[in-house]
Amino acid sequence: MIKEKYYISDFCSIRDNKVFKNGDQLYIDSESDNLKDFAKGVYKFLELKYPKFHKMDELCKLGFLASEVLLKDREKVDQDTALVLSNRSSSLDTDRKHQVSIRDREDFYPSPAVFVYTLPNIIMGEISIKNKMKSENAFFVTESFDADFMSRYSEILMNTGKASNVICGWVDLDNDKYDVFLAFLSKKGKKKLTKEELNNLYNQ
Amino acid sequence: MRKIYLVADNIISPLGFSTEENINNLRLNQTGIKKIEDDYIWSEPFFGAVINNDELSKAWKKISNDSGYTKLEKMMLLSVSKLLVENPSLDITKCGIIISTTKGNINNLRDDSDEKVYLASISKAVQHYFKSDHTPVILSNACISGGLALAVGKRMIQSELFEDVVVIGGDLLSEFTLSGFFSFQAVSPAPCKPFCKNRTGISLGEAAASAWLSSNKENVTDEAISIVGDASANDANHISGPSRTGEGLYISIKKALKEAGLESNQIDYITAHGTATPYNDEMEAIAFNRAGMQSVPINSLKGYYGHTLGASALIESIIARHCLINNELFASLGFEELGVSESINVIAKNDKKELKRVLKTASGFGGCNVALIIEKEVS
Amino acid sequence: MAELREELKEKLIEQLSLEDVEVSEIGDNDPLFGDGLGLDSIDALELIVLLEKDYGIKLKDPKEGKAIFESISVMADYISKHRTK
């Protein structure tokens, strides 16, 4: 198998009410004390007009916003750009909401708009819809961000021609604590794709 | 490119705790779906396919005294244990392991939520039980998880990360998922009827399964069955509604065929997703027609197992392997009269037919789709 | 009836997370699906839950929803005739 060199072209993270792209702080919100308000602030900051955003659960909002930041300066995203995401808590934040709605058999009103988000791969569905990406998707659940596995699997997709580029990363939300990191992997860039480099950028 | 063989498998389902028992029941057109009256799951009777707790306990006691595992973990561990007993040359401590599940131990969310609700706890349980060197990876990609896990396993072996991979899949029939599908008005009031005019929705099921993927042909004892093409594609259309053009499924099929170097007329049998919701089955019929496969014999096994979520596409791939070995086709249970707008060739009765290649597909929430091409080597 | 219509508009915005929409922007006879408010299949399912939870109306066939959810006026009319709470 011919193994090409791949690069981390862009990366971004969302943590502690701050948004970073390629290491630079893009946005800070020192006022919001909850994720919903913070996410809405980022949405406004990015000047998005996308009513579907407001229907998303908080996990999807985080992944979606990160993808918008990551892809912001690209004119067009290749339809074959794969999505390879991971986290620790799956969709547990919304799972809990659905569970609350069915806790009492006398007051039993599960919501379809909540239930649909009880799957972590919906984040990739939302990003695919926005960017018209009809590509490979895979959602992995690991104890912590596994740069080794994520970089290897992304390389496999590009080596085998199953994807032209890959957006890979970590989108986790659990009990209001969140941690988001996305990287755009392609044949162009300055930072070589290695597990060490990916891990360094995640830990920045 | 390395060839990836599907060497051996096991299924733990209401139709039996071995692949052989499962196949025998399919041959008899026996369904695992029945009327369930279990207040723990639902306050009213409903149709679904559940694994009897007493039978599972009995089987579990034969392999372990440890009662610290959940029902789903026991199903998965039992499946892999049986796979290992039947295949002494498989050294699971050295294999890559992929676990496919959508909701894992979701019942643990009901009362005092504990660590078991985190999917990685299943990975820990499997690693601990089999003392494996590598931490199993969890794949949670809605209803295509089981098929995608096989694709991921194949890709990992082809890239020489591992020589052997064990894929494990499993999900429970829980109040959590049942209530959600009810809120989607998607649960059938009778056993589901895939592709039928009278279909009204899904029946849920529970099961676990495991499969051994290997690049080493020496491991092949039965006929050599390999995965020769695989692809996944997103519809990029809607997070719950299937695409009206079958876009992602069509792309997946085309790409899988391309990798395998095959044309659509070289496929002998399609084991479809066929959940029996009006929109899903319609979408599949459109995609198969776009791919030029309208006359290929097709069935859905949901009428036997119900929809077992993260296990379903794995189980259906395992059954496909045995259909190739035995040259037989099973009736698409529940089907009476075609109820999709585009013509497809639904298998009405069990049949014997020389088979060389099978297409397995699955589609799920989030707009995801997967296609696998499984081939028999003719010596 | 006017009161019920206002109530429904508020509920729609709240339940269906129509953040960018104001009550005054929803006309009584505007189509809710398609070109109107642009609601989708999940919204339709959510409205079925709303009917049951807030007004005690359980649809026998979910397909009935299509006609009932045509516009705020039609919905209000249906609810006032069939509500049990």
Side-chain angles (χ1 to χ4, degrees):
Chain A
M1 192 184 297
I2 309 154
K3 284 187 181 159
E4 289 208 48
K5 289 249 179 295
Y6 300 106
Y7 298 87
I8 303 166
S9 321
D10 290 296
F11 60 99
C12 74
S13 54
I14 303 180
R15 274 172 202 141
D16 305 324
N17 277 17
K18 296 181 199 107
V19 179
F20 299 88
K21 180 166 183 186
N22 296 333
D24 301 327
Q25 186 176 300
L26 215 65
Y27 176 81
I28 180 165
D29 176 350
S30 43
E31 281 165 28
S32 297
D33 58 359
N34 65 73
L35 179 52
K36 197 178 176 198
D37 290 348
F38 167 68
K40 201 169 168 181
V42 180
Y43 173 86
K44 282 188 180 150
F45 167 75
L46 294 171
E47 296 176 342
L48 296 170
K49 286 196 174 57
Y50 195 65
K52 279 196 189 87
F53 173 79
H54 306 294
K55 294 178 182 263
M56 295 178 197
D57 74 343
E58 310 310 319
L59 181 71
C60 282
K61 281 181 185 169
L62 284 168
F64 177 83
L65 289 171
S67 73
E68 286 297 307
V69 171
L70 188 74
L71 302 172
K72 205 155 87 68
D73 303 316
R74 288 180 187 271
E75 271 180 27
K76 193 173 156 282
V77 189
D78 195 290
Q79 191 180 306
D80 269 337
T81 301
L83 285 160
V84 183
L85 301 185
S86 60
N87 74 9
R88 176 173 187 271
S89 313
S90 181
S91 54
L92 208 47
D93 187 66
T94 297
D95 291 0
R96 292 189 184 106
K97 284 191 187 120
H98 178 67
Q99 189 64 45
V100 166
S101 75
I102 59 171
R103 188 149 284 165
D104 182 356
R105 289 257 164 105
E106 302 302 313
D107 182 28
F108 195 91
Y109 297 104
S111 151
V114 171
F115 180 66
V116 71
Y117 287 102
T118 62
L119 292 163
N121 63 299
I122 304 296
I123 307 171
M124 303 187 295
E126 296 283 15
I127 297 172
S128 300
I129 293 167
K130 174 72 193 323
N131 298 290
K132 299 184 176 60
M133 285 156 48
K134 297 172 182 176
S135 58
E136 285 279 345
N137 287 183
F139 200 101
F140 297 101
V141 176
T142 49
E143 194 59 36
S144 55
F145 180 61
D146 187 343
D148 186 24
F149 179 77
M150 296 301 275
S151 57
R152 279 171 190 252
Y153 186 70
S154 300
E155 273 180 0
I156 293 173
L157 290 179
M158 292 188 281
N159 275 332
T160 53
K162 290 187 191 296
S164 51
N165 313 297
V166 177
I167 294 172
C168 98
W170 178 260
V171 184
D172 192 48
L173 169 64
D174 188 14
N175 288 322
D176 297 327
K177 272 192 275 181
Y178 60 91
D179 181 21
V180 182
F181 169 76
L182 293 185
F184 191 93
L185 313 178
S186 75
K187 286 177 190 157
K188 286 184 207 144
K190 290 196 181 88
K191 293 183 167 58
K192 265 193 201 144
L193 173 62
T194 61
K195 67 170 178 183
E196 289 82 12
E197 185 71 13
L198 195 63
N199 213 21
N200 284 342
L201 298 179
Y202 168 73
N203 283 314
Q204 253 187 21
Chain B
M1 191 76 93
R2 292 169 119 186
K3 206 158 184 183
I4 312 302
Y5 296 98
L6 258 170
V7 175
D9 48 61
N10 168 272
I11 300 171
I12 303 288
S13 84
L15 292 181
F17 289 180
S18 68
T19 305
E20 199 185 349
E21 267 181 88
N22 274 268
I23 298 278
N24 286 339
N25 276 314
L26 295 183
R27 241 173 235 146
L28 298 170
N29 298 140
Q30 187 71 43
T31 181
I33 301 173
K34 57 183 183 191
K35 195 178 206 175
I36 296 168
E37 296 180 43
D38 180 350
D39 193 58
Y40 181 73
I41 304 176
W42 204 245
S43 53
E44 288 163 38
F46 69 99
F47 281 90
V50 291
I51 291 178
N52 183 288
N53 290 338
D54 295 337
E55 279 172 36
L56 181 66
S57 294
K58 223 192 278 172
W60 176 253
K61 277 188 190 131
K62 284 185 190 159
I63 63 162
S64 170
N65 299 319
D66 195 337
S67 57
Y69 293 104
T70 63
K71 181 176 184 181
L72 179 67
E73 288 163 358
K74 285 178 187 167
M75 285 156 54
M76 288 180 170
L77 296 174
L78 188 63
S79 180
V80 179
S81 299
K82 287 182 172 252
L83 185 73
L84 294 175
V85 168
E86 286 167 20
N87 298 278
S89 63
L90 171 58
D91 180 2
I92 194 158
T93 62
K94 303 282 175 258
C95 292
I97 303 175
I98 304 168
I99 299 171
S100 146
T101 185
T102 64
K103 298 312 306 168
N105 297 316
I106 193 67
N107 283 337
N108 287 47
L109 200 60
R110 288 177 69 145
D111 307 311
D112 293 318
S113 176
D114 57 21
E115 277 297 306
K116 292 267 188 194
V117 299
Y118 292 88
L119 296 185
S121 70
I122 299 174
S123 166
K124 276 185 216 156
V126 169
Q127 184 171 17
H128 178 256
Y129 190 90
F130 295 109
K131 300 182 176 57
S132 47
D133 292 350
H134 306 281
T135 305
V137 179
I138 304 264
L139 179 74
S140 189
N141 217 100
C143 300
I144 73 164
S145 301
L148 189 60
L150 285 171
V152 171
K154 166 182 172 275
R155 294 165 185 180
M156 282 162 69
I157 297 174
Q158 275 179 335
S159 305
E160 299 176 11
L161 288 183
F162 294 100
E163 192 159 289
D164 299 273
V165 165
V166 171
V167 175
I168 309 168
D171 262 308
L172 295 175
L173 201 175
S174 64
E175 179 193 43
F176 186 99
T177 39
L178 188 61
S179 63
F181 281 110
F182 265 117
S183 79
F184 262 82
Q185 313 287 339
V187 182
S188 173
C192 68
K193 303 172 78 61
F195 301 114
C196 184
K197 200 177 159 191
N198 305 319
R199 72 183 186 280
T200 51
I202 63 167
S203 300
L204 282 175
E206 65 188 7
S210 53
W212 175 15
L213 294 179
S214 181
S215 55
N216 185 355
K217 204 177 173 186
E218 284 173 22
N219 290 322
V220 178
T221 49
D222 273 312
E223 290 204 55
I225 309 289
S226 53
I227 303 176
V228 291
D230 69 279
S232 152
N234 196 292
D235 287 330
N237 175 59
H238 193 267
I239 53 168
S240 65
S243 156
R244 299 207 180 239
T245 58
E247 186 70 2
L249 181 55
Y250 170 73
I251 294 173
S252 306
I253 295 169
K254 281 309 230 190
K255 286 191 169 176
L257 282 171
K258 195 178 165 206
E259 184 189 354
L262 296 170
E263 300 292 329
S264 54
N265 61 10
Q266 291 175 283
I267 298 296
D268 302 314
Y269 160 49
I270 303 169
T271 168
H273 190 47
T275 58
T277 68
Y279 292 116
N280 172 79
D281 293 9
E282 175 69 15
M283 177 280 285
E284 286 187 74
I286 290 167
F288 294 131
N289 269 267
R290 281 181 71 186
M293 293 179 164
Q294 55 273 19
S295 59
V296 180
I298 182 172
N299 67 7
S300 158
L301 299 180
K302 301 291 189 291
Y304 297 91
Y305 292 101
H307 192 347
T308 58
L309 310 172
S312 65
L314 177 59
I315 289 177
E316 288 148 10
S317 300
I318 291 171
I319 300 295
R321 170 176 177 254
H322 291 271
C323 288
L324 283 168
I325 293 174
N326 302 325
N327 291 308
E328 68 179 332
L329 295 172
F330 299 121
S332 197
L333 205 61
F335 178 79
E336 289 158 336
E337 195 184 332
L338 193 65
V340 287
S341 66
E342 305 259 348
S343 158
I344 49 169
N345 181 14
V346 182
I347 303 165
K349 280 198 309 205
N350 292 3
D351 200 3
K352 279 290 205 180
K353 190 190 167 198
E354 183 65 34
L355 299 175
K356 185 160 161 52
R357 293 183 199 93
V358 178
L359 169 68
K360 168 71 214 136
T361 64
S363 305
F365 273 3
C368 53
N369 302 272
V370 71
L372 300 169
I373 293 167
I374 307 171
E375 185 179 84
K376 176 166 67 187
E377 219 167 83
V378 179
S379 47
Chain C
M1 191 64 97
E3 211 173 288
L4 179 59
R5 284 196 290 260
E6 287 305 292
E7 180 183 302
L8 280 174
K9 288 176 191 174
E10 278 165 27
K11 284 191 176 181
L12 238 61
I13 290 170
E14 167 75 22
Q15 289 291 318
L16 309 181
S17 306
L18 308 172
E19 289 264 340
D20 300 332
V21 180
E22 302 284 336
V23 167
S24 59
E25 292 173 303
I26 308 176
D28 290 349
N29 297 309
D30 287 355
L32 298 181
F33 290 83
D35 292 339
L37 270 183
L39 304 187
D40 72 358
S41 55
I42 302 179
D43 296 317
L45 294 164
E46 203 59 35
L47 290 177
I48 293 177
V49 178
L50 184 141
L51 279 190
E52 192 179 344
K53 191 175 176 181
D54 294 357
Y55 303 104
I57 302 170
K58 198 167 166 57
L59 297 187
K60 280 193 197 77
D61 181 355
K63 285 192 197 113
E64 288 175 61
K66 206 174 176 188
I68 300 165
F69 307 138
E70 191 190 306
S71 67
I72 291 289
S73 289
V74 177
M75 234 179 121
D77 197 42
Y78 183 86
I79 289 171
S80 61
K81 278 186 193 136
H82 296 89
R83 66 191 298 170
T84 61
K85 65 178 176 188

